[in-house]
Amino acid sequence: MRGYLIPIFVVASLSLAGCNKSKSPEDVSKDVAKAEQKASAEVSKSEERAQSALDKSYEKVSEQEVKFNNDAAHQSYNVAIAKADGDRKVALASCESQSGSAQKACKDEAEADYKTARANAKVIAETAEQQK
């Protein structure tokens, strides 16, 4: 049995001795340079992927910001038109208390104010949309 264990002991000793063997300074230097180069390449690739992802995200955010601004301008226009319509109805109702030419002048003024308010709302909305 002893004859069987000796070759196993010798092989195990040689294997363990090889694990702890130090490399020459030149080999270590080459290995370190390779590791540094590989690490640098991996960092560069990671930075490129990150920048690409950020660029895509920025494009999406920019598109959404433009869409939001256009929607806000459109909704502001709708509110301004609704206000102009309401003001017109109130003005026309108050014109009913007058008669003859005074009533006609009051209604004409209400219509002119309404047209001015609509035109102003349109200009404001168009200006807001152009500021994309």
Side-chain angles (χ1 to χ4, degrees):
M1 182 141 172
R2 202 173 209 205
Y4 181 68
L5 292 176
I6 292 177
I8 291 176
F9 179 71
V10 170
V11 169
S13 297
L14 291 175
S15 296
L16 290 175
C19 289
N20 293 327
K21 183 179 176 186
S22 65
K23 292 185 176 183
S24 71
E26 293 83 22
D27 289 341
V28 170
S29 179
K30 287 178 186 177
D31 289 347
V32 168
K34 277 185 189 178
E36 287 175 343
Q37 186 177 20
K38 186 174 180 179
S40 177
E42 288 176 3
V43 168
S44 292
K45 285 180 185 178
S46 180
E47 287 172 342
E48 289 171 6
R49 285 191 301 264
Q51 188 61 48
S52 176
L54 289 174
D55 289 345
K56 287 178 184 177
S57 293
Y58 179 76
E59 289 173 14
K60 288 178 185 178
V61 168
S62 293
E63 290 171 10
Q64 290 300 318
E65 183 179 15
V66 167
K67 184 180 182 312
F68 174 80
N69 289 337
N70 288 341
D71 288 347
H74 181 71
Q75 295 308 321
S76 294
Y77 172 79
N78 288 343
V79 169
I81 294 300
K83 184 177 181 324
D85 287 341
D87 290 348
R88 178 177 163 237
K89 288 176 184 175
V90 169
L92 290 175
S94 38
C95 289
E96 295 297 322
S97 67
Q98 301 174 12
S99 61
S101 62
Q103 186 182 49
K104 171 131 175 57
C106 181
K107 286 183 177 182
D108 289 345
E109 184 178 341
E111 290 298 327
D113 290 346
Y114 174 69
K115 288 179 183 177
T116 300
R118 285 185 64 94
N120 287 341
K122 185 175 181 181
V123 167
I124 291 169
E126 288 173 351
T127 303
E129 282 188 24
Q130 290 176 358
Q131 295 176 353
K132 299 178 189 178

